[in-house]
Amino acid sequence: MIITRTPLRISIGGGGTDLPSYYSQFGGFVISAAIDKYIYITINRTFFPGYFLKYSEIEHALSYDEICHPLFRELLRLNEVEQNVEIVSVADVPAGTGLGSSGSFLVGLSHALHAHKHEPVNAEFLACEAIEVEMVRLKEPVGKQDQYVAAYGGLICQEYNTDGSVVITPLRIAQSTLWEMRDSLMMFFVGYTRSAVDLLSEQKQRSEEGDRQMIEGLHFVKQLGLEIKIALEAGDVGRFGAMMHEHWLRKRSRSKGMSSNRVDELYELARTKGGATGGKLVGAGGSGFLLFHTNDRRRLRTIMTEAGVHEMDFAFDFDGSVVMLRSG
């Protein structure tokens, strides 16, 4: 039996510039943070033919083509996994909440499959294999940040070159800054996201067509990501809160579907009455989790609870995808 654990993520800055429709022309830059909410993948041999897959649904397929779940199907096909396996996926947070679950799922499944075959792999390999499935084989209009931060863990800077290569470096912040940053961030669940595919498809199309508003918006987001890096590495966590607000305003302007009336109301409430200095909606589906920077956790928690939304406490993860159990 193999069990892997792979973190979900929050985007700190530069989100959207990790799509090839943008970085292939201008280069991209993203800061991501892995958090201690995980997807667990278990693989076990069975005595019966076929692929037994258990996630939010249960499948028993006798060939790759019979598998309904596209991520399972294409990654099993890519690795030529033989039958007589049972694979179970369990998550701390459900899919569709804007925390990069599909990328984490693929990285965790890839790690489990290679451990099952006794093949050593590193974080770069896991990220690239997950990207191969989601972006190349399934042609989803997604970026690369989710797969990389899930594989590497930590708080990482991802630099995207126009030739498609990616340079991963840690965000170099002092331990005291890390603690201050963690203590100043709070996350609240505001509902399941709509699929981000339509929004990302719109960004892809407009970027490829050279839409001025979209391109200038992504230029701004990339530059702000670089400024966030400078601020955090200098220990200026308060400035980070203000830049989160700038980022959110620009992100909302990229597409009408980036937010909703409910999200806008909660965001304004958090800033005017909850003491939040800035925030953003994590993910691209118009709902999910609101992430705020605040200097008064109790005040913000009280206001959000009264508004009917609940906090999800979190910390940062520095392990990335790991094999937790290997037996048999």
Side-chain angles (χ1 to χ4, degrees):
M1 175 181 288
I2 302 293
I3 301 178
T4 62
R5 185 191 73 185
T6 306
L8 298 171
R9 65 95 182 104
I10 57 175
S11 179
I12 301 298
T17 69
D18 59 318
L19 272 69
S21 54
Y22 177 80
Y23 71 67
S24 63
Q25 301 179 72
F26 308 105
F29 179 81
V30 176
I31 306 174
S32 305
I35 62 173
D36 64 344
K37 300 294 180 259
Y38 300 100
I39 292 179
Y40 301 88
I41 303 290
T42 301
I43 294 186
N44 198 22
R45 301 182 193 277
T46 70
F47 294 100
F48 304 100
Y51 304 97
F52 296 83
L53 310 177
K54 301 178 182 179
Y55 47 104
S56 57
E57 300 183 21
I58 298 176
E59 293 193 50
H60 176 212
L62 295 176
S63 69
Y64 303 134
D65 291 336
E66 291 181 13
I67 297 173
C68 296
H69 193 298
L71 303 182
F72 266 123
R73 182 182 63 243
E74 295 308 318
L75 195 54
L76 289 171
R77 192 198 307 273
L78 175 62
N79 283 280
E80 300 180 345
V81 178
E82 297 179 353
Q83 295 189 21
N84 299 76
V85 292
E86 177 186 45
I87 308 178
V88 181
S89 171
V90 179
D92 288 334
V93 182
T97 51
L99 299 179
S101 59
S102 63
S104 294
F105 171 83
L106 279 169
V107 168
L109 179 58
S110 174
H111 207 168
L113 292 176
H114 288 284
H116 178 70
K117 296 190 292 182
H118 306 287
E119 296 173 350
V121 290
N122 59 24
E124 181 69 19
F125 178 91
L126 293 174
C128 289
E129 184 161 272
I131 289 166
E132 167 69 22
V133 168
E134 198 164 14
M135 297 179 68
V136 179
R137 294 185 173 228
L138 293 174
K139 302 186 185 304
E140 296 287 355
V142 297
K144 295 181 177 180
Q145 71 155 312
D146 296 353
Q147 300 89 339
Y148 270 102
V149 71
Y152 280 87
L155 282 75
I156 59 172
C157 301
Q158 307 175 37
E159 184 178 353
Y160 296 92
N161 299 314
T162 55
D163 63 1
S165 61
V166 184
V167 178
I168 303 295
T169 55
L171 183 65
R172 302 187 187 282
I173 60 176
Q175 189 68 46
S176 58
T177 303
L178 181 66
W179 290 337
E180 182 183 354
M181 185 177 174
R182 169 60 197 95
D183 289 342
S184 69
L185 294 177
M186 300 182 74
M187 193 151 53
F188 299 89
F189 181 60
V190 295
Y192 289 96
T193 65
R194 300 186 296 276
S195 172
V197 170
D198 290 342
L199 291 172
L200 294 175
S201 295
E202 178 192 356
Q203 178 180 321
K204 176 178 182 293
Q205 180 181 348
R206 291 174 62 188
S207 296
E208 290 174 344
E209 292 174 350
D211 181 279
R212 181 176 177 180
Q213 183 181 12
M214 177 63 71
I215 296 298
E216 288 183 353
L218 289 169
H219 285 342
F220 174 86
V221 166
K222 180 174 68 175
Q223 182 59 38
L224 196 63
L226 293 167
E227 292 176 10
I228 288 172
K229 176 180 184 291
I230 292 170
L232 290 176
E233 292 187 339
D236 192 352
V237 178
R239 174 64 180 139
F240 168 57
M243 288 191 286
M244 283 181 72
H245 180 60
E246 294 179 55
H247 181 276
W248 171 238
L249 294 178
R250 188 59 68 102
K251 182 176 181 179
R252 284 179 72 252
S253 71
R254 291 212 305 265
S255 172
K256 294 179 180 179
M258 285 289 184
S259 188
S260 66
N261 291 336
R262 171 65 169 163
V263 168
D264 289 343
E265 290 170 0
L266 289 170
Y267 187 88
E268 187 64 19
L269 182 66
R271 293 195 75 237
T272 57
K273 295 185 177 180
T277 58
K280 60 183 291 187
L281 191 66
V282 181
S287 193
F289 285 93
L290 273 169
L291 176 70
F292 291 110
H293 175 275
T294 181
N295 296 315
D296 191 340
R297 294 176 67 87
R298 179 178 296 181
R299 178 182 171 190
L300 182 57
R301 181 181 295 117
T302 299
I303 290 296
M304 289 291 100
T305 300
E306 290 175 352
V309 293
H310 300 286
E311 179 186 3
M312 183 178 76
D313 194 30
F314 71 95
F316 298 123
D317 167 274
F318 291 91
D319 296 328
S321 185
V322 297
V323 175
M324 296 183 64
L325 175 68
R326 190 194 306 261
S327 65

